[in-house]
Amino acid sequence: MKDNFSKQAVDYSKFRPQYPDEMIEYIISFVDNKSTALDLATGNGQVAHKLSAYFKKVFATDISQKQLDNAILADNIMYSKESAEKTSFENRQFDLIVVAQAVHWFDFEVFYKEIFRILKPDGIFAILGYGLFFTNPDSDKILRSFYYNIVGPYWDAERKYLDENYENIPFPFEEIPAQKFQNEFTWSFEMLIGYLQTWSSVQHYISKKNQNPIDLIYDELKVSWQKNNQEVTFPLLLRIGKPDNRNKA
């Protein structure tokens, strides 16, 4: 798994959008026993914290210590630094395992073998994510040009899985057809820029060119943002499965 997010861990915790409570509640509705949950590649612990309201114990892992240092704390959340593909957990330990906005970074074959090892036979596995947001048409033109043309060449190859709405990733489970969700916000211009700053492609561009690509659209985007409604919508991605087809992993 790549660590693309340690550098901007504080920004990540401040500007990355949360998943709505109704989406978390929907996932949990498929879980019979709410004893132990695991949030892999937890980042700043957003999902782990939401799960902690429902489960006796929540474990959460990430390969970035800086992300974990900025994670949301709760008495029943146990954070640890380790890879999602090789964990320290016991066989058949978890009633629910989730991975949010990160599965595209994993070695799928190795990762799924580990999931089948640590997930209970009646457990639930869920992949969450969000695609490219959309907003008012005027700002969208600027942002899509930025996404595809300016920083487009600087996205990791794995980004394609998000652009494909996670529809083409391997998923060796008995899949539960999932309800569609989206997340809506009203963002200040500072929030918008803060979120763009967390993109891995922006960080790669800065590393390669020693220049922030956001500067190339900043003035035009600011004018556009201030004269429009500043509403942002994220299409949310969700796949849910049961380990009945474990022989396919």
Side-chain angles (χ1 to χ4, degrees), residues 94-217:
F94 296 102
D95 302 294
L96 172 67
I97 299 175
V98 301
V99 54
Q101 199 71 0
V103 75
H104 51 287
W105 301 118
F106 300 160
D107 178 325
F108 291 121
E109 184 176 358
V110 176
F111 172 67
Y112 284 132
K113 283 181 180 176
E114 184 70 348
I115 294 302
F116 287 128
R117 183 184 73 79
I118 61 179
L119 183 63
K120 291 181 181 178
D122 61 347
I124 293 293
F125 174 71
I127 291 172
L128 296 73
Y130 46 85
L132 177 61
F133 69 93
F134 57 91
T135 180
N136 66 80
D138 186 52
S139 299
D140 264 347
K141 287 181 184 177
I142 302 167
L143 290 163
R144 269 152 178 70
S145 176
F146 180 73
Y147 181 89
Y148 291 108
N149 300 325
I150 296 176
V151 299
Y154 298 89
W155 286 110
D156 293 90
E158 295 90 341
R159 178 71 193 185
K160 69 175 184 178
Y161 293 116
L162 277 171
D163 289 335
E164 296 164 355
N165 299 319
Y166 280 160
E167 291 171 2
N168 296 319
I169 62 170
F171 197 77
F173 299 87
E174 178 184 337
E175 187 155 8
I176 300 168
Q179 183 179 323
K180 299 287 186 185
F181 294 88
Q182 62 181 30
N183 226 353
E184 298 175 351
F185 305 95
T186 300
W187 272 1
S188 66
F189 185 66
E190 290 70 27
M191 277 295 298
L192 174 66
I193 295 300
Y195 172 66
L196 297 179
Q197 192 74 30
T198 70
W199 285 4
S200 58
S201 60
V202 170
Q203 297 303 312
H204 292 333
Y205 187 107
I206 292 171
S207 295
K208 293 279 176 59
K209 294 202 167 191
N210 201 29
Q211 176 192 11
N212 192 330
I214 297 172
D215 293 344
L216 301 175
I217 63 165

Side-chain angles (χ1 to χ4, degrees), residues 80-94:
S80 61
K81 181 184 177 183
E82 54 185 291
S83 165
E85 287 108 330
K86 186 177 181 181
T87 72
S88 60
F89 301 115
E90 298 175 3
N91 293 346
R92 301 185 175 191
Q93 184 171 344
F94 296 102

Side-chain angles (χ1 to χ4, degrees), residues 205-237:
Y205 187 107
I206 292 171
S207 295
K208 293 279 176 59
K209 294 202 167 191
N210 201 29
Q211 176 192 11
N212 192 330
I214 297 172
D215 293 344
L216 301 175
I217 63 165
Y218 187 93
D219 292 338
E220 183 185 12
L221 184 58
K222 186 173 185 179
V223 171
S224 172
W225 202 249
Q226 290 177 341
K227 74 179 183 183
N228 285 289
N229 61 20
Q230 303 178 6
E231 293 176 1
V232 174
T233 301
F234 282 88
L236 298 175
L237 317 177

